[in-house]
């Protein structure tokens, strides 16, 4: 995509963000077709660099828009019905920008997979800790599920420790560790 197209898209996105509008699917399809047409005329590595630069620019722009809209949202009073409705609408706008920002972050942040793995490992630890509390509940009530749940929780705890060790040692790729963690916790 050439600089003029990127500039035009950034201007359109900025105007839409400032006015609260959204890009229609037809515009996205048109822009996508323009990108596909450019792929045949430019070398792939140059195109990838340009696309990455455009995504980084969009990411920074969305980050700034998110911070501005969120600050506006947090400063809004919510005492009357009208103020509550305005606040809810502003909250929807902040949520939409945040969702788009999160999706774009996956593409532009090279450290995202590692942070995602760390976050999921932390969440799995919390689930297993809650399982320990449930075990105490089952034991107090002499529940027949106690033994089965005790074995399952012990297995998950051991396997999670093993996954953490593999992540720390970097003995497996992050996507593989994420897949194994998801299988363990489901």
């Amino acid at each position: 995509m050439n600089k003029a197209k990127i500039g035009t898209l950034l201007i359109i996105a900025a105007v839409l963000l400032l006015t609260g509008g959204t890009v229609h699917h037809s515009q996205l399809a048109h822009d996508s077709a323009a990108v596909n047409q450019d792929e045949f005329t430019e070398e792939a590595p140059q195109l990838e660099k340009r696309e990455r630069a455009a995504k980084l620019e969009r990411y920074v722009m969305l980050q700034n828009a998110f911070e501005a809209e969120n600050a506006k949202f947090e400063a809004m009073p919510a005492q009357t019905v009208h103020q509550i409705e305005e606040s809810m609408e502003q909250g929807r706008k902040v949520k939409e920008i945040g969702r788009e920002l999160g999706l774009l972050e996956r593409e532009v942040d090279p450290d995202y997979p590692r942070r995602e793995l760390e976050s999921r490992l932390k969440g799995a630890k919390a689930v297993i800790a809650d399982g320990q509390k449930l075990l105490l509940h089952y034991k107090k009530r002499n529940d027949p599920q106690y033994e089965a749940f005790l074995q399952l929780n012990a297995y998950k705890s051991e396997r999670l420790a093993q996954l953490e060790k593999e992540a720390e040692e970097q003995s497996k790729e992050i996507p593989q560790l994420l897949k194994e963690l998801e299988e363990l916790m489901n």
Side-chain angles (χ1 to χ4, degrees):
M1 195 181 308
N2 62 30
K3 289 181 182 179
K5 287 181 183 178
I6 291 172
T8 303
L9 288 175
L10 289 176
I11 290 170
I12 290 170
V15 169
L16 288 173
L17 284 174
L18 292 174
T19 61
T22 59
V23 177
H24 296 289
H25 295 291
S26 61
Q27 179 66 34
L28 289 175
H30 174 71
D31 294 340
S32 176
V35 169
N36 290 338
Q37 186 179 19
D38 285 345
E39 286 179 1
F40 294 110
T41 61
E42 295 182 15
E43 293 181 28
Q46 290 177 344
L47 182 62
E48 287 179 17
K49 287 180 184 177
R50 289 180 183 156
E51 286 178 350
R52 179 152 173 79
K55 286 180 182 180
L56 284 171
E57 286 179 39
R58 176 143 174 78
Y59 179 76
V60 170
M61 185 184 68
L62 279 173
Q63 209 169 21
N64 292 335
F66 178 81
E67 290 171 3
E69 294 294 332
N70 195 39
K72 183 178 174 183
F73 172 69
E74 290 177 358
M76 293 180 86
Q79 296 174 350
T80 67
V81 173
H82 181 67
Q83 290 173 334
I84 291 171
E85 288 173 358
E86 287 178 347
S87 178
M88 288 176 62
E89 183 60 36
Q90 183 66 23
R92 284 185 198 100
K93 189 185 298 184
V94 169
K95 181 179 175 182
E96 180 62 30
I97 293 171
R99 185 187 68 75
E100 193 173 342
L101 186 63
L103 291 173
L104 192 56
E105 181 182 24
R106 290 180 178 180
E107 295 179 29
V108 299
D109 186 2
D111 203 30
Y112 183 83
R114 184 192 55 78
R115 287 187 294 115
E116 181 181 13
L117 177 62
E118 289 173 356
S119 175
R120 288 192 183 183
L121 286 170
K122 186 176 179 180
K125 280 183 176 179
V127 168
I128 289 174
D130 287 344
Q132 292 293 347
K133 293 175 188 174
L134 188 59
L135 271 172
L136 292 174
H137 175 73
Y138 283 164
K139 188 174 184 178
K140 285 180 185 177
R141 296 188 179 250
N142 292 327
D143 195 309
Q145 295 180 355
Y146 173 75
E147 287 298 321
F149 195 73
L150 177 66
Q151 291 175 357
L152 178 65
N153 208 40
Y155 168 76
K156 284 186 175 187
S157 183
E158 289 174 20
R159 184 69 182 115
L160 181 61
Q162 184 181 9
L163 287 172
E164 284 181 310
K165 183 179 178 183
E166 290 172 348
E168 186 177 302
E169 295 173 349
Q170 297 179 351
S171 61
K172 288 186 180 177
E173 296 292 321
I174 291 176
Q176 180 62 33
L177 290 170
L178 284 168
K179 180 181 175 187
E180 290 178 21
L181 181 60
E182 187 164 333
E183 290 171 358
L184 174 67
M185 298 312 291
N186 286 334

